[in-house]
Amino acid sequence: MVVVTSTSGGIVAGDRLSVSVTLEPGGRLLLMPQAAERVYRSTGSVSEIDNHFAVGPGAGFEWLPQETILYDQARFERRTRVSLADETAQALFGEIIVLGRTAHGECVRRGRLRDAWAIEVAGKLILADALDIAEADFAAARHHPAAIGGMTAIAGFCAVGASDAVGAVALRDRLRAVLTEVNGPEAKFGTKHASNIPYVSASDADGAPRPVVGIGVIDGVVVVRMAGRDAARLKTVFDALWAVARAGLMGRPPRLPRIRRG
């Protein structure tokens, strides 16, 4: 395991950061930030992060995120590219975005946000995904059901490198079963999008609203997406699913590093 540390105290206007990691054939690595990253208000320039993870044949890589916290009027773009040498390589990677320090009553009313992922296997693009909200559209997107839909935390991860299509579906089904255990029964959406259903934000006994979670398979990649109104609750569900995914995909212990568990 390698922990990435930062001495800057946060990301400010115009900062450009990059992380580039290459795993040799057969290598194993869990990479994670030491703590949540903060993106502060900008009066002009966009802050940028570029991540590139290259995974050699037979290697297994995990990018376990902490939260990226956006402050009001932050301008932020992140690009993450995962390049697997061939079908024997495996990767588990994700991100968590939180809009403001909600425990302090903060709210992000304006901002610029782009978070884009791309996955390549043997030089071929197999999956690309981007959340892109222009500053002019941010206020409306915060509440629109086709965008953020009133949620304050957004997260997701991808598991790449299952042995075959059957293995990917089996991992998906296992994650769905665990989701029911940790998050309660899912609402029956039918043909409607989850964010259009008024009752999906059910609460647990402690009053914490449950996140909305979707788990599926796209071209052999297991994709988990979630959004919620309580960042701590969302992270709890995220971590529970991640532990199962690393065990099911890579045969690793179904637990997170002690530094992540506090």
Side-chain angles (χ1 to χ4, degrees), residues 124-244:
K124 179 182 178 182
L125 180 67
I126 62 169
L127 181 65
D129 181 87
L131 171 65
D132 194 334
I133 304 176
E135 187 167 3
D137 301 327
F138 198 92
R142 282 184 59 244
H143 301 290
H144 198 285
I148 299 174
M151 304 298 186
T152 58
I154 310 162
F157 66 81
C158 294
V160 194
S163 57
D164 52 30
V166 174
V169 170
L171 179 56
R172 178 203 65 187
D173 292 346
R174 175 59 181 149
L175 289 170
R176 287 178 175 177
V178 172
L179 176 63
T180 300
E181 296 172 8
V182 300
N183 201 41
E186 290 296 286
K188 301 301 182 183
F189 303 137
T191 59
K192 298 182 179 180
H193 189 277
S195 58
N196 290 329
I197 308 296
Y199 54 81
V200 294
S201 294
S203 297
D204 292 323
D206 61 4
R210 298 175 185 170
V212 177
V213 183
I215 305 172
V217 176
I218 302 174
D219 290 337
V221 179
V222 179
V223 181
V224 178
R225 302 291 276 175
M226 60 184 71
R229 291 179 171 82
D230 184 281
R233 174 61 181 163
L234 178 139
K235 190 175 180 181
T236 296
V237 175
F238 184 100
D239 288 357
L241 295 178
W242 187 284
V244 173

